[in-house]
Amino acid sequence: MLNIQKRLAPSFYALLSLPSTAMGFALSVQISALSWILSTKYGLAIHEIGLVWAAGPIAGIFGQVIIGLISDNVWFWGGRRRPFILVGGTLAALMLLALPNIGVISSALGGDAVLGVAITIALTLDLAINISFNPTRSIIADVTPPGDERTKGYTWMQTISGTFGVAAYAIGAIWGNYALIYFGAILVLLISVIPPFFIEEPRILQSENTDADTPQQKTSFVQILMAISPLWGYLAYAISGMVCRLMGWTMNSFWAGLCMGLTVASILLIFIMKRSAFGVRFAPLIPFQKILAAHSFTWLGIQTMFVYMFAYVQQKIEGLSANQMGQVVSISFLLFNAIAAILPATVLQPLALKIGRVKTHLLCIGIMAIGYAGIWLFGHSVNLIYLLMCVVGIGWAATVSLPFAIMSQTIDQSRMGMFMGLFNLSVVLPQLVASLGVGEAVSAAQDKGLIFIICAISLAISAILWLFIKDSQAEVDTKGVTPVGH
């Protein structure tokens, strides 16, 4: 073990952040370039672009949960998380190289199935990212003690990753998306493959939860299904939506309403019913379930912005060429990520120590909702869009750092990979709903301001749900481990 790891030195936190940074950079390239390439180079319609984006979350559903379960219980190539980081990083770099060559690949296959090739590449890229994202986040919890040090691990992760994310959008804005893609492929390969060999993982994951009724110690399919109960409505809509889209059918409005009702009912059940009503076996899952519910609405709004912002800019800012539109979106995301790079370690971590992680996150999500409403009301010039993207970046800074620290201390550490994968469902299932259901609504809407109305409402609901969540953490002090109640 390196001395910097023994001392938990700042240089170790920086090293520990690099694998996650690689996957974040790959995702930044995808966000910046995928919709732009499909719209301007290949002429895909908005709903078709939404379908391409839907392929990624499908990969996430299977990739993160399955990889999480496997990585908790295997050991090869000198690590538990290391093998998946190495494979995922290499595959992600190759798929980035494929992005600007979708047309070439389609022609080489003897056809003109651009949409099919785009879906395949997007699916493979997102599968690669998801193969690695879970282990890159789980390894932080594996090698850091609970409490402030773990929060520091995740805030450092976002500071390093966010800084590189800013660089990604800067490259796209200054030199164009093609330069960004090729630079990204090289960077992702290097910082995902090299750092894992300098991080020593614990051979045995010890449980930090001493409660006798902890259900995480023995995992079953029923337990997994119950753990994600706030997401049942998302899951039902996502599966049926993909089937309808692939078969060319129209989603039945009654079924869509039923899925929405299921989401509302399952969330209300978790937040309103007494803990004792769930029984000894499932009651300990409630803190985790509440976080899933609140986080899911955060991502419904954020993904809507990621996928469809280009359509808003196209309509609201007149006189832009395709390249200029791409640059406006790139600069917007650059500013968005710049705020997310600066705040976690410099502002959010100290604030979380003072008022708590959940209150800090709630404040940021509320500000993000206000920022989205501002874009809808006032975002009719490039400069105002840039300014308001800085405001919503405050919520993004919290979203990509604090929930991991909050969630990781509500579950059994020996099942970190599995629960990190289940937690990711609160990201990928809303992403699917945004890509499918929101895509249809945005495509049909005359006023693309609907995009940011959806964003604002989603973040407002998320903020309301976070009001009913309390910090649950183990803090290390001079006396040992002191658990803080739910």
Side-chain angles (χ1 to χ4, degrees), residues 145-303:
D148 296 342
E149 293 296 339
R150 185 165 301 166
T151 301
K152 186 184 295 184
Y154 284 110
T155 53
W156 268 78
M157 174 199 76
Q158 177 49 31
T159 296
I160 302 294
S161 180
T163 300
F164 275 87
V166 170
Y169 295 115
I171 292 169
I174 297 171
W175 291 290
N177 282 329
Y178 289 111
L180 170 62
I181 290 169
Y182 290 116
F183 174 79
I186 297 171
L187 181 70
V188 167
L189 182 64
L190 292 177
I191 65 175
S192 62
V193 170
I194 296 175
F197 289 102
F198 296 94
I199 301 169
E200 184 174 329
E201 301 178 47
R203 187 67 183 258
I204 299 175
L205 294 176
Q206 298 291 341
S207 172
E208 293 162 9
N209 193 331
T210 58
D211 292 342
D213 64 352
T214 300
Q216 291 91 331
Q217 295 175 359
K218 186 177 181 180
T219 305
S220 68
F221 177 75
V222 173
Q223 185 189 90
I224 290 175
L225 197 61
M226 288 300 297
I228 64 168
S229 61
L231 306 178
W232 286 352
Y234 288 102
L235 181 62
Y237 185 89
I239 293 174
S240 57
M242 279 302 297
V243 171
C244 288
R245 184 65 64 85
L246 293 173
M247 298 299 293
W249 301 336
T250 301
M251 170 72 78
N252 185 284
S253 58
F254 175 78
W255 175 252
L258 195 62
C259 292
M260 183 181 297
L262 178 59
T263 299
V264 173
S266 60
I267 290 175
L268 287 176
L269 184 68
I270 295 300
F271 280 85
I272 293 176
M273 287 190 66
K274 293 182 178 180
R275 182 184 176 111
S276 58
F278 291 88
V280 173
R281 186 180 182 192
F282 298 116
L285 291 170
I286 294 175
F288 177 75
Q289 291 170 320
K290 288 182 177 180
I291 294 170
L292 286 187
H295 200 55
S296 68
F297 280 97
T298 298
W299 270 98
L300 181 62
I302 290 174
Q303 184 72 2

Side-chain angles (χ1 to χ4, degrees), residues 29 45 56 80-81 86 95 128 132 143 147 155 161 176 202 229 247 249 290 302 333 351 431 435 469 474 477:
V29 175
R80 176 176 290 101
R81 319 295 182 188
L86 299 179
M95 290 305 101
S132 291
V143 301
T155 53
S161 180
S229 61
M247 298 299 293
W249 301 336
K290 288 182 177 180
I302 290 174
F333 287 140
L351 186 60
Q431 284 180 338
S435 297
I469 298 173
D477 58 18

Side-chain angles (χ1 to χ4, degrees), residues 351-362:
L351 186 60
L353 289 174
K354 184 175 294 186
I355 68 173
R357 296 177 182 87
V358 172
K359 288 182 180 178
T360 301
H361 188 64
L362 166 63

Side-chain angles (χ1 to χ4, degrees), residues 333-348:
F333 287 140
L334 184 154
L335 296 171
F336 180 72
N337 281 274
I339 299 300
I342 295 169
L343 292 187
T346 59
V347 177
L348 300 188

Side-chain angles (χ1 to χ4, degrees), residues 27 53-65 126-127 129-130 133 137 231 234-235 238-239 242 292 295-296 299-300 303 420-436:
L27 186 60
W53 274 92
I58 291 175
I61 291 173
F62 298 102
Q64 291 225 23
V65 176
D126 226 75
L127 181 60
I129 292 173
N130 279 286
F133 244 145
R137 290 165 176 166
L231 306 178
Y234 288 102
L235 181 62
I239 293 174
M242 279 302 297
L292 286 187
H295 200 55
S296 68
W299 270 98
L300 181 62
Q303 184 72 2
M420 193 70 76
L422 294 178
F423 178 68
N424 186 62
L425 295 181
S426 67
V427 177
V428 297
L429 291 177
Q431 284 180 338
L432 273 172
V433 173
S435 297
L436 298 170

